[in-house]
């Protein structure tokens, strides 16, 4: 017998489960049954595709089933399955550690507030460890399919665990796992057959394998005029793949409970889309949108949320090939009648059947979201609050669906509170407006106060505020929404849209000053010119259409592109600003030199670009202050 300590994260998680989830202890049974179902799925797949496992069926592999055996007097419950089982190494890795790299991030998000933390833990999926809410001791006896040894794992959920090999009556004769729960005081109410049946029907009725309850059934004996207990075995679930049932038979509650039990979430899903396709391809899909973004959404090792079945046989989970990466928040099932049972992850990437199913599934999800956006805008806002960034990722990579994705993404705006769509911005365009304008940056506050917006505010033209860090990259490659141009206000050509016949051309008047400023700044700028886009600020920097903006350049450097050419923006100055008028009146070289650099440096700062030489900037500023005080 070997005694081992829990991984630190497991100890923390166990403590939180016991102390934060007291209002939902019944989910321990849902989690254990879900684990058993997964084990049965994996073994069934192997027995259909692997000759080694096929030969063991009827010998060391029994037909798939889950048994709940209750001993009310002893206050114990045994949950046994005939699934793939575990050996000693599996028991340590599955029950003694948490392999997911997101665990530490998850623990860091916990606030100490029981309600909030319970929701977080629900999203994370408490799995096996939830059993310690109702047990003061748990024994797991398991034999892995294809192996002869049986191992026993024992723990009180506090001080670690023990593992030993067992034999004789304690050993399993066939593959599978048995979990023996010794109920504590809080768990005592679950040592009741009616309560167990109720929980199974609530959470696990859809499990595709039969679940049997073995218990002492009380029946009235008329002759003896007393209640007699008889040991009884009854199937307590429907044992059918829920997604294969007609939608007309299913209630909203059926979908919600299926989602919660298969995803370890306590919150109802925002939406679900259930589709049955027949014809050239025959398949069923059932997709769910979680009400809160999964915790691993931004991690490189995220887990895909869609499971693949072939003819109700589980094939794989967590595959990144079932849906595109930007839809990684979607949960659910794809069940195909046309794929081979022995399909591998490598084959999936080139399989024409799956490619067709994937293409149709993406179009279905996006079209359903568009329909919801039209019919229930408030509900759709709940969705984009969680997943707007992922839709923008789709704009960058999914060219085939770019048009509908442009309808689905939402933006902040200078015109309206909250979020708005491109379609709504199009409807609000001024009669003389030539494009839909947008500005990108790192924060909403910085964007709202940008000098680049001054003339748009003056002309009452709407500008969309794009403050996601990926907006700069995504929208650099998108030039139109339908027939309407999409233009960034920090591009030099956009100022042409702002000119009209009543705008006097002051370039000639300013030319001597412009030439002096350009000579002073030298290679730091590409050009210096009079601006048509400024109203209150003296200067601003812009870039040409084919050049990355200052922010884009910073992002490219952060991603490791170190061989970028030096930033050479165009400096635009406001001909009507008091500072510029004074420089025109007194264009002494000393005044122009300091003013030129200060105008340029402040424009850089307003764009969020760090100064290369802050010390020199401060010296210039002090010189100017000294002259004015």
């Amino acid at each position: 017998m070997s005694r081992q300590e829990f991984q630190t994260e497991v100890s923390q998680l166990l403590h939180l489960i016991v102390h934060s989830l007291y209002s939902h202890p019944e989910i321990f049974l849902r989690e254990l049954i879900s684990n058993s179902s997964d084990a049965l799925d994996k073994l069934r797949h192997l027995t259909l595709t692997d000759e080694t496992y096929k030969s063991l069926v009827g010998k060391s592999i029994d037909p798939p089933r889950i048994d709940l055996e209750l001993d009310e007097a002893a206050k114990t419950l045994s949950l046994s399955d005939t699934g793939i089982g575990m050996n000693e190494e599996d028991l340590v890795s599955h029950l003694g550690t948490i392999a997911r790299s997101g665990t530490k991030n998850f623990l860091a998000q916990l606030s100490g507030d029981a309600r909030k933390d319970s929701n977080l833990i629900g999203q994370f999926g408490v799995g096996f460890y939830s059993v310690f809410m109702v047990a003061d001791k748990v024994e797991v006896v398991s034999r892995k399919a294809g192996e002869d040894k049986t191992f026993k794992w024992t723990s009180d959920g506090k001080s670690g665990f023990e593992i030993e090999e067992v034999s004789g009556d304690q050993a399993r004769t066939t593959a599978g796992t048995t979990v023996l729960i010794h109920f504590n005081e809080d768990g005592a109410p679950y040592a009741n057959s009616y309560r167990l049946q109720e929980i199974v029907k609530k959470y696990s009725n859809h499990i595709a394998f039969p679940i049997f309850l073995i218990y002492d059934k009380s029946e009235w004996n008329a002759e003896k005029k007393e209640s007699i207990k008889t040991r009884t075995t009854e199937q307590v679930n429907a044992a059918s793949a829920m997604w294969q049932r007609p939608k007309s038979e299913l209630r909203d509650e059926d979908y919600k409970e299926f989602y919660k039990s298969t995803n370890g979430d306590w919150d109802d899903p925002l939406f679900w889309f259930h589709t049955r396709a027949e014809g050239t391809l025959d398949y069923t899909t059932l997709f769910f949108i979680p009400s809160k973004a999964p915790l691993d959404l931004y991690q490189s090792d995220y887990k895909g949320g869609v499971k693949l079945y072939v003819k109700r046989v589980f094939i794989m989970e967590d595959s990144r090939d079932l849906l595109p990466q930007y839809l990684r928040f979607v949960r659910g099932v794809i069940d195909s009648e046309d794929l081979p049972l022995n399909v591998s992850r490598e084959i999936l990437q080139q399989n024409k059947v799956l490619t067709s199913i994937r293409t149709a599934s993406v179009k279905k999800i996006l079209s359903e979201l568009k329909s919801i956006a039209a019919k229930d805008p408030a509900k759709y806002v709940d969705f984009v609050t969680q997943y707007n960034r992922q839709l923008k990722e789709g704009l960058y990579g999914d060219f085939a669906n770019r048009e509908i994705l442009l309808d689905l993404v939402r933006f902040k705006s200078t015109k309206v509170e909250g979020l708005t769509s491109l379609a709504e911005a199009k409807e609000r365009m001024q009669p003389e407006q030539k494009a839909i304008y947008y500005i990108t940056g790192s924060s909403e506050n910085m964007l709202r106060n940008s000098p680049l917006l001054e003339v748009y505010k003056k002309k009452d033209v709407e500008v969309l505020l794009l403050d996601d860090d990926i907006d700069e990259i995504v929208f650099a490659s998108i030039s139109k929404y339908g027939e309407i141009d999409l233009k960034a206000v920090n591009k030099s050509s956009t100022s042409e849209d702002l000119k009209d016949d009543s705008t006097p051309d002051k370039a000639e008047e300013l030319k001597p000053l412009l030439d002096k400023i350009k000579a002073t700044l030298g290679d730091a700028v590409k050009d210096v010119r009079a601006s048509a886009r400024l109203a209150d600020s003296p200067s601003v920097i812009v870039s040409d259409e084919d050049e990355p903006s200052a922010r884009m350049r910073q992002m490219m450097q952060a991603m490791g592109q170190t061989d970028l050419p030096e930033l050479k923006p165009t400096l635009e100055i406001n001909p009507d600003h008091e500072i510029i008028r004074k420089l025109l009146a007194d264009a002494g070289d000393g005044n122009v030199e300091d003013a030129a650099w200060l105008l340029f440096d402040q424009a850089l700062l307003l764009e969020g670009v760090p100064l290369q030489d802050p010390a020199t900037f401060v010296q210039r500023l002090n010189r100017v202050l000294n002259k004015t005080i």
Side-chain angles (χ1 to χ4, degrees):
M1 179 185 296
S2 67
R3 179 165 187 81
Q4 301 184 39
E5 296 298 317
F6 283 122
Q7 182 189 29
T8 304
E9 286 83 2
V10 175
S11 297
Q12 289 178 266
L13 188 60
L14 283 167
H15 177 80
L16 288 162
I17 287 169
V18 172
H19 292 88
S20 297
L21 304 193
Y22 52 82
S23 59
H24 302 277
E26 66 184 26
I27 59 102
F28 84 90
L29 190 58
R30 178 192 77 182
E31 297 292 323
L32 293 180
I33 290 175
S34 178
N35 289 346
S36 291
S37 176
D38 288 345
L40 290 164
D41 269 330
K42 288 170 184 174
L43 185 56
R44 180 167 67 169
H45 180 227
L46 289 171
T47 58
L48 292 170
T49 59
D50 190 311
E51 292 299 326
T52 303
Y53 290 94
K54 282 182 185 180
S55 65
L56 298 176
V57 175
K59 299 174 184 176
S60 61
I61 295 178
D62 283 341
R65 62 183 282 163
I66 298 171
D67 290 292
L68 306 176
E69 186 164 357
L70 175 64
D71 186 334
E72 292 190 42
K75 287 188 169 46
T76 63
L77 174 66
S78 140
L79 187 149
S80 182
D81 66 62
T82 55
I84 195 165
M86 294 176 282
N87 56 23
E88 183 176 13
E89 182 181 347
D90 295 332
L91 285 167
V92 173
S93 63
H94 295 336
L95 305 187
T97 64
I98 300 177
R100 289 184 60 185
S101 63
T103 307
K104 290 183 179 178
N105 293 336
F106 155 71
L107 291 168
Q109 292 184 52
L110 295 169
S111 64
D113 180 289
R115 178 177 292 275
K116 290 180 181 177
D117 288 353
S118 66
N119 287 334
L120 272 174
I121 295 170
Q123 289 180 66
F124 178 78
V126 294
F128 170 79
Y129 305 110
S130 60
V131 72
F132 288 105
M133 290 188 290
V134 296
D136 50 26
K137 180 182 177 183
V138 177
E139 301 170 60
V140 180
V141 177
S142 193
R143 173 178 171 178
K144 190 165 187 174
E147 299 183 12
D148 298 327
K149 293 181 179 180
T150 299
F151 292 92
K152 180 179 178 182
W153 180 99
T154 307
S155 177
D156 60 4
K158 299 173 184 175
S159 56
F161 58 93
E162 296 174 348
I163 292 184
E164 60 181 319
E165 184 181 347
V166 293
S167 57
D169 292 341
Q170 291 190 68
R172 288 186 61 106
T173 57
T174 57
T177 299
T178 301
V179 179
L180 179 61
I181 303 165
H182 297 264
F183 286 119
N184 57 23
E185 188 176 338
D186 293 332
Y190 299 102
N192 178 285
S193 59
Y194 296 106
R195 188 78 178 95
L196 294 175
Q197 290 181 62
E198 182 184 57
I199 296 170
V200 170
K201 290 186 183 300
K202 179 179 179 181
Y203 292 114
S204 308
N205 201 42
H206 68 277
I207 294 293
F209 304 103
I211 302 173
F212 295 95
L213 178 61
I214 304 160
Y215 67 104
D216 293 325
K217 186 175 184 179
S218 296
E219 294 181 314
W220 181 255
N221 187 304
E223 291 181 9
K224 296 183 178 180
K225 295 183 178 181
E226 61 180 12
S227 181
I228 297 177
K229 290 186 176 181
T230 307
R231 200 67 174 163
T232 305
T233 301
E234 292 179 355
Q235 184 170 334
V236 288
N237 72 321
S240 64
M242 181 261 203
W243 58 88
Q244 289 292 342
R245 292 167 60 189
K247 286 192 280 187
S248 57
E249 291 182 6
L250 297 169
R251 303 166 299 128
D252 285 356
E253 287 305 312
D254 294 323
Y255 286 108
K256 291 174 184 178
E257 293 305 334
F258 175 82
Y259 165 78
K260 290 177 183 177
S261 63
T262 53
N263 292 281
D265 198 344
W266 294 355
D267 294 325
D268 292 338
L270 273 178
F271 323 118
W272 57 85
F273 316 128
H274 191 181
T275 305
R276 172 75 179 169
E278 295 177 315
T280 307
L281 293 177
D282 191 356
Y283 64 89
T284 300
T285 60
L286 175 55
F287 297 124
F288 295 91
I289 309 296
S291 59
K292 292 186 178 67
L295 290 167
D296 63 354
L297 197 61
Y298 297 107
Q299 294 171 6
S300 59
D301 62 344
Y302 75 89
K303 291 189 175 183
V306 176
K307 294 183 179 181
L308 177 65
Y309 288 77
V310 173
K311 298 175 183 176
R312 269 72 61 206
V313 176
F314 172 74
I315 302 299
M316 68 180 67
E317 61 185 344
D318 305 337
S319 172
R320 301 188 182 193
D321 299 308
L322 301 179
L323 287 177
Q325 183 175 349
Y326 72 91
L327 292 177
R328 59 190 178 275
F329 56 86
V330 175
R331 301 294 185 250
V333 168
I334 294 174
D335 192 348
S336 169
E337 299 292 326
D338 304 295
L339 284 167
L341 284 169
N342 62 347
V343 64
S344 67
R345 291 184 187 270
E346 292 70 32
I347 293 173
L348 275 183
Q349 295 172 0
Q350 297 143 21
N351 187 278
K352 291 182 179 179
V353 171
L354 190 66
T355 299
S356 298
I357 294 174
R358 170 184 160 127
T359 300
S361 295
V362 172
K363 289 188 179 298
K364 175 66 175 176
I365 292 169
L366 298 182
S367 65
E368 289 284 356
L369 289 173
K370 187 174 181 179
S371 176
I372 291 167
K375 295 176 183 176
D376 192 347
K379 191 82 170 175
Y380 188 73
V381 167
D382 292 340
F383 167 76
V384 291
T385 300
Q386 297 289 326
Y387 305 111
N388 204 32
R389 180 191 165 102
Q390 281 63 51
L391 297 180
K392 290 176 181 177
E393 290 178 21
L395 283 173
Y396 186 72
D398 189 353
F399 300 105
N401 292 297
R402 177 172 280 184
E403 187 175 334
I404 189 170
L405 283 165
L406 280 171
D407 282 324
L408 292 175
V409 291
R410 294 293 184 264
F411 308 91
K412 295 167 186 172
S413 166
T414 58
K415 278 281 189 179
V416 296
E417 292 292 325
L419 298 172
T420 191
S421 66
L422 286 172
E424 291 165 340
K426 180 182 175 182
E427 290 177 3
R428 290 191 294 266
M429 287 176 66
Q430 301 288 357
E432 73 282 359
Q433 190 173 332
K434 298 176 182 178
I436 293 176
Y437 301 104
Y438 67 86
I439 182 172
T440 59
S442 58
S443 75
E444 180 183 352
N445 184 59
M446 185 188 81
L447 295 180
R448 289 193 183 277
N449 293 292
S450 171
L452 290 165
L453 299 188
E454 291 172 0
V455 75
Y456 296 94
K457 293 176 183 176
K458 187 175 179 181
K459 291 176 177 284
D460 197 30
V461 173
E462 180 173 14
V463 179
L464 302 178
L465 310 174
L466 280 58
D467 59 352
D468 269 338
D469 54 5
I470 64 168
D471 287 335
E472 185 87 30
I473 297 172
V474 171
F475 287 90
S477 63
I478 302 174
S479 60
K480 284 186 176 291
Y481 171 63
E483 297 301 315
I484 305 295
D485 288 336
L486 292 177
K487 291 189 176 183
V489 299
N490 65 339
K491 293 299 182 181
S492 56
S493 63
T494 309
S495 64
E496 296 300 316
D497 294 355
L498 306 173
K499 293 180 179 179
D500 55 45
D501 295 337
S502 63
T503 305
D505 188 355
K506 300 182 180 180
E508 279 303 315
E509 180 189 359
L510 282 176
K511 189 174 186 309
L513 179 60
L514 295 175
D515 289 343
K516 278 190 176 183
I517 293 175
K518 190 172 190 311
T520 300
L521 298 178
D523 290 339
V525 294
K526 185 173 186 178
D527 196 9
V528 180
R529 62 188 177 210
S531 180
R533 70 184 87 224
L534 294 173
D536 302 315
S537 298
S539 62
V540 71
I541 59 167
V542 295
S543 56
D544 287 347
E545 293 298 321
D546 57 346
E547 292 180 336
S549 67
R551 176 169 163 75
M552 171 74 88
R553 193 174 182 281
Q554 285 179 284
M555 294 177 66
M556 292 167 74
Q557 287 177 325
M559 291 187 287
Q561 298 188 38
T562 56
D563 57 345
L564 296 171
E566 284 299 312
L567 171 67
K568 282 194 177 183
T570 294
L571 177 68
E572 291 189 357
I573 62 173
N574 180 358
D576 298 316
H577 196 277
E578 186 178 4
I579 291 175
I580 306 303
R581 303 313 299 178
K582 286 182 176 179
L583 285 173
L584 271 173
D586 181 15
D589 290 342
N591 289 340
V592 170
E593 182 175 354
D594 280 340
W597 281 107
L598 288 174
L599 288 170
F600 180 58
D601 286 345
Q602 69 167 285
L604 288 173
L605 290 171
L606 285 168
E607 277 294 295
V609 180
L611 301 181
Q612 289 188 351
D613 190 356
T616 302
F617 169 75
V618 172
Q619 289 171 7
R620 286 195 188 101
L621 186 60
N622 287 338
R623 278 199 301 268
V624 173
L625 286 171
N626 189 47
K627 290 178 183 179
T628 59
I629 295 174

